[in-house]
């Protein structure tokens, strides 16, 4: 009897120990890989959100073009320039162009905001006083015989990019005589413009010059530029617009931007540009030296939203990492579907941001979107972990992340430095807390 019991006991001891399955042995690692895949998959909707931003930007551009088409587009003032036709050979004519010796433009920009739907467009009305003088015109330097000049067809021309913007009957004061402008510049100075015939007298090998003055009231949108055609060109502008962007080939010699607007003054010499004071034909590109000012709209919501979306992988990845560490440290289990729901909530933040930024300023839109997302994720975390303390901790971490991203978005010049330091600190924190995980037991 005892022998029988001993035999049974020996059989039980010899039964093989059952090895855990591959999935159970490497469950923690497999889940980490799965979470990484989910993070990558959630970049697909963020890419779609980038496409949404591009679509809304195109609509904004269309709205700007629609308003500009009725009001007046971006304007460039070129001239005045004296144009004199001459005979090259029988049956063939050309034109000789003479630039002013002195050109002064004193202008005032009166900006306003026009709306097309939810979009805002910066437009302006301007009052420009254009004055200066032409020294005697040297035709000998152009190798043109005086008898070949068609002086009766000589005219003074001013290039204007968009003629729809002119809202006064522009007149030329030439040597104390009044002349009325007519449209058309034969594409010599610009695609469009205005011109009027002027009397010129031949004296030996040169033509008489003269003084000129033009008052031009011009509407436009976005920007106004000037071509420095004078041997000495001076442009003085003042406006109530508080966000000017000085652009073009030359920056102003003096400018003052304050809470009530700006003033700016340019002074350009003929030595600063790459075309002569007189030439024949239209081969000289005068517009290489254009300069002026743009009515810069403060960084709009679309640009800042685009920058925010670029940090989506940081928000999603770190949130998932926090959840994963809680699983390891507190022995909780979070289902992959719950990760997906949290990831979708984090993606919806960006659609909320875009939608609200179209109606509100970006700061307020960011705050509301972040609070809504934080509230949703925090409440859901409380139900997942059944702990309000853990949920509050997750909410605090997300609040720090969203605040960090906002600071980076607003700090354009120091964005790279702040982003690099922030990522270094985040990595250090992650490495610190990962010390508490007993990886060998897992």
């Amino acid at each position: 009897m005892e022998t029988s019991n001993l035999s049974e006991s020996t059989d039980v001891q010899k039964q093989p120990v059952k090895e855990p399955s591959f999935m159970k042995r490497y469950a923690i690692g497999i889940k980490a890989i799965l979470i990484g895949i989910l993070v990558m998959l959630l970049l697909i909707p963020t890419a779609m959100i980038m496409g949404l931003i591009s679509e809304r930007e195109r609509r904004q551009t269309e709205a700007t073009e629609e308003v500009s088409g009725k009001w007046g587009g971006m304007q460039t003032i070129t001239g005045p320039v004296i144009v004199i036709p001459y005979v090259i050979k029988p049956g063939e004519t050309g034109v000789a162009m003479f630039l002013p010796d002195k050109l002064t433009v004193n202008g005032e920009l009166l900006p306003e905001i026009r709306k097309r739907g939810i979009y805002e467009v910066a437009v302006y009305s301007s009052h420009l006083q254009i004055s200066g003088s032409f020294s005697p015109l040297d035709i000998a330097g152009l190798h043109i015989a005086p008898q070949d000049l068609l002086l009766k067809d000589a005219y003074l021309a001013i290039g204007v990019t968009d003629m729809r913007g002119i809202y006064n009957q522009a007149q030329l004061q030439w040597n104390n005589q009044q002349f009325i402008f007519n449209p058309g510049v034969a594409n010599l100075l610009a695609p469009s413009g205005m011109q009027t015939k002027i009397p010129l007298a031949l004296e030996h090998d040169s033509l008489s010059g003269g003084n000129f003055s033009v008052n031009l009231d011009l509407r436009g949108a976005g920007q106004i530029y000037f071509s420095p055609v004078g041997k000495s060109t001076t442009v003085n502008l003042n406006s109530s617009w508080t966000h000017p962007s000085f652009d073009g080939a030359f920056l102003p010699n003096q400018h003052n931007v304050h809470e009530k607007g700006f003033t700016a003054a340019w002074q350009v010499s003929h030595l600063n540009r790459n075309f002569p004071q007189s030439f024949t034909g239209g081969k000289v590109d005068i517009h290489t030296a254009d300069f002026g000012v743009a009515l810069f709209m403060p960084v709009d919501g679309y640009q800042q939203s685009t920058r925010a979306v670029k940090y989506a992988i940081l928000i999603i990845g770190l949130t998932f990492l926090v959840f994963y560490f809680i699983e390891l440290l507190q022995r909780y289990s979070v289902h992959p579907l719950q990760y997906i729901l949290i990831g979708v909530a984090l993606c919806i933040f960006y659609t909320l941001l875009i939608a609200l930024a179209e109606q509100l300023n970006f700061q307020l839109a960011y705050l509301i979107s972040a609070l809504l997302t934080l509230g949703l994720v925090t409440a859901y975390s409380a139900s997942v972990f059944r702990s309000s303390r853990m949920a509050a901790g997750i909410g605090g971490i997300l609040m720090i992340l969203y605040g960090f991203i906002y600071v980076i978005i607003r700090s354009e010049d120091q964005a790279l430095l702040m982003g690099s330091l922030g990522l270094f600190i985040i990595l250090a924190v992650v490495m610190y807390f990962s010390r508490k995980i007993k990886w060998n037991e897992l």
Side-chain angles (χ1 to χ4, degrees), residues 39 43 442:
V39 172
L43 292 181
L442 296 176

Side-chain angles (χ1 to χ4, degrees), residues 341-420:
L341 291 175
I342 293 169
V344 172
L346 295 175
C347 290
I348 290 177
F349 161 79
Y350 299 103
T351 59
L352 285 172
L353 178 61
I354 297 167
L356 291 173
E358 290 182 337
Q359 308 295 332
L360 309 170
N361 62 64
F362 182 81
Q363 294 89 334
L364 187 56
Y366 192 95
L367 177 63
I368 294 173
S369 303
L371 290 177
L372 290 174
T373 305
L374 286 173
L376 180 60
V377 174
T378 302
Y380 189 68
S381 301
S383 67
V384 170
F385 296 116
R386 295 180 176 83
S387 171
S388 58
R389 182 180 176 183
M390 287 188 183
I394 292 171
I397 292 172
L398 283 177
M399 184 178 296
I400 293 172
L401 284 177
Y402 280 120
F404 171 63
I405 298 302
Y406 180 78
V407 171
I408 292 178
I409 293 172
R410 299 295 294 177
S411 304
E412 296 184 15
D413 296 335
Q414 289 80 32
L416 180 60
L417 175 62
M418 297 182 66
S420 300

Side-chain angles (χ1 to χ4, degrees), residues 123-245:
V123 300
Y124 60 85
S125 300
S126 64
H127 303 297
L128 305 176
Q129 296 177 339
I130 305 171
S131 60
S133 61
F134 285 86
S135 58
L137 311 180
D138 181 17
I139 59 174
L142 296 179
H143 306 291
I144 301 174
Q147 64 272 17
D148 292 333
L149 294 173
L150 303 176
L151 293 181
K152 61 182 179 61
D153 296 324
Y155 59 90
L156 184 141
I158 298 178
V160 180
T161 305
D162 193 342
M163 298 288 285
R164 292 171 297 184
I166 299 176
Y167 64 99
N168 73 320
Q169 177 55 63
Q171 294 185 352
L172 168 68
Q173 183 86 13
W174 174 262
N175 290 337
N176 298 321
Q177 291 182 281
Q178 292 279 353
F179 299 90
I180 296 177
F181 279 102
N182 294 305
V185 291
N187 204 26
L188 294 173
L189 301 175
S192 59
M194 55 187 184
Q195 51 84 21
T196 181
K197 290 186 177 182
I198 55 173
L200 295 175
L202 182 62
E203 299 173 357
H204 304 294
D205 289 336
S206 64
L207 296 170
S208 60
N211 300 317
F212 63 86
S213 176
V214 179
N215 289 327
L216 179 62
D217 294 339
L218 187 66
R219 293 191 182 103
Q223 67 183 36
I224 183 168
Y225 276 26
F226 301 91
S227 300
V229 295
K231 195 170 185 179
S232 172
T233 301
T234 302
V235 175
N236 300 299
L237 289 180
N238 69 83
S239 174
S240 59
W241 188 259
T242 55
H243 301 284
S245 176

